């Protein structure tokens, strides 16, 4: 965009990279035998592909911080509402006779069994479930927002302080949300997204301070 590339050209680049990442994920899942009848469709690289695609499209449409932050927040809150309050067909509402985030009885596992029967990593559920792409997209957008913050014209000290403040805020929100929506990596819960963001931002802040301010390079 800064070089004046057209959005159509960048869109083609996004589509190409998405396809390559997704196909590489299928190769990883199938190697070396590639059983087509039970081949696991989803996985880590496929999730990266989908979230990269969605974040790339959003960034092409708008680079406004408020827009990207709003989409990330909506993904986290929406995922929490769905996983906590919406009845699962045949089972009921989580916490009403069903443990919250039960390994097999949650919306992520339920949809994966419907969409990918016989193709899940753990038989009845998948650690990279399709529905948990929504909070994963929020993780991706938090990275985009961090990149935008690093590119601002503020002083290095101001940028480092912002990274540190964001890290502490993410930790605090994660611990608070953990009470109602427990930290769970395999389901990529909203509280986990914030915890992971906090842990990512803290070493980034330290490295930025050491390299950009103290000049230890």
């Amino acid at each position: 965009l800064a070089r004046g590339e057209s959005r159509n050209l960048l869109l083609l680049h996004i589509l190409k990279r998405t396809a390559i990442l997704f196909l590489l994920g299928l190769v990883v899942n199938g190697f070396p035998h590639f059983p087509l009848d039970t081949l696991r469709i989803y996985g880590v690289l496929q999730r990266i592909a989908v979230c990269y695609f969605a974040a790339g499209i959003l960034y092409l449409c708008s680079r406004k911080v408020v827009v990207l932050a709003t989409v990330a927040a909506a993904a986290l809150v929406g995922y929490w509402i769905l996983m906590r309050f919406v009845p699962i067909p045949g089972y009921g509402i989580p916490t009403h006779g069903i443990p919250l985030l039960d390994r097999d009885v949650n919306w992520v596992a339920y949809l994966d069994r419907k969409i990918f029967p016989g193709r899940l990593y753990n038989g009845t559920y998948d650690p990279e479930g399709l529905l948990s792409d929504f909070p994963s997209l929020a993780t991706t957008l938090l990275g985009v927002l961090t990149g935008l913050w690093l590119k601002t014209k503020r002083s290095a000290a101001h940028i480092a302080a912002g990274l540190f403040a964001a890290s502490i805020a993410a930790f605090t929100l994660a611990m608070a949300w953990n009470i109602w929506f427990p930290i769970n990596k395999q389901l990529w819960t909203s509280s986990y997204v914030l915890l992971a963001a906090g842990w990512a931002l803290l070493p980034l802040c330290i490295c930025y301070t050491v390299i950009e301010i103290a000049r230890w390079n």
Side-chain angles (χ1 to χ4, degrees):
L1 288 172
R3 291 195 304 265
E5 300 283 2
S6 71
R7 278 177 164 75
N8 288 337
L9 184 62
L10 293 172
L11 176 58
L12 289 176
H13 173 74
I14 290 172
L15 289 171
K16 178 182 177 182
R17 177 173 286 183
T18 298
I20 290 172
L21 285 169
F22 202 96
L23 289 173
L24 285 174
L26 291 177
V27 170
V28 170
N29 287 351
F31 186 84
H33 302 296
F34 298 98
L36 298 181
D37 55 336
T38 59
L39 180 65
R40 183 188 179 208
I41 303 299
Y42 223 57
V44 174
L45 287 173
Q46 292 91 324
R47 167 164 288 175
I48 292 173
V50 170
C51 292
Y52 164 75
F53 174 78
I57 297 300
L58 282 169
Y59 190 78
L60 282 182
C61 293
S62 175
R63 285 175 284 170
K64 293 182 178 179
V65 169
V66 65
V67 173
L68 299 173
T70 298
V71 173
L76 295 179
V77 174
Y79 186 62
W80 169 55
I81 291 173
L82 177 64
M83 295 289 283
R84 171 62 180 82
F85 299 104
V86 178
I88 303 167
Y91 297 99
I93 302 175
T95 72
H96 290 61
I98 307 169
L100 180 61
L101 305 184
D102 181 270
R103 185 185 69 177
D104 297 318
V105 185
N106 61 73
W107 268 108
V108 178
Y110 175 81
L111 286 180
D112 283 345
R113 288 195 296 270
K114 292 291 184 181
I115 298 171
F116 305 120
R119 298 176 181 273
L120 302 182
Y121 184 76
N122 288 312
T124 56
Y125 70 96
D126 198 303
E128 281 80 43
L130 189 62
L131 190 63
S132 52
D133 277 348
F134 284 100
S136 300
L137 172 61
T139 294
T140 310
L141 291 176
L142 289 175
V144 174
L145 290 169
T146 301
L148 291 174
W149 176 252
L150 289 169
K151 291 176 65 177
T152 61
K153 302 301 183 182
R154 295 174 174 84
S155 67
H158 193 164
I159 290 174
L163 292 173
F164 181 74
S167 175
I168 298 303
F171 277 130
T172 303
L173 288 172
M175 293 300 103
W177 211 341
N178 178 59
I179 299 172
W180 298 281
F181 198 25
I183 293 167
N184 186 302
K185 180 182 183 296
Q186 292 205 2
L187 288 171
W188 216 266
T189 56
S190 304
S191 54
Y192 172 76
V193 169
L194 294 172
L195 180 69
W199 277 115
L201 285 166
L202 187 57
L204 177 61
C205 175
I206 294 171
C207 289
Y208 185 88
T209 301
V210 168
I211 295 170
E212 298 294 336
I213 298 177
R215 297 294 178 181
W216 292 3
N217 56 355

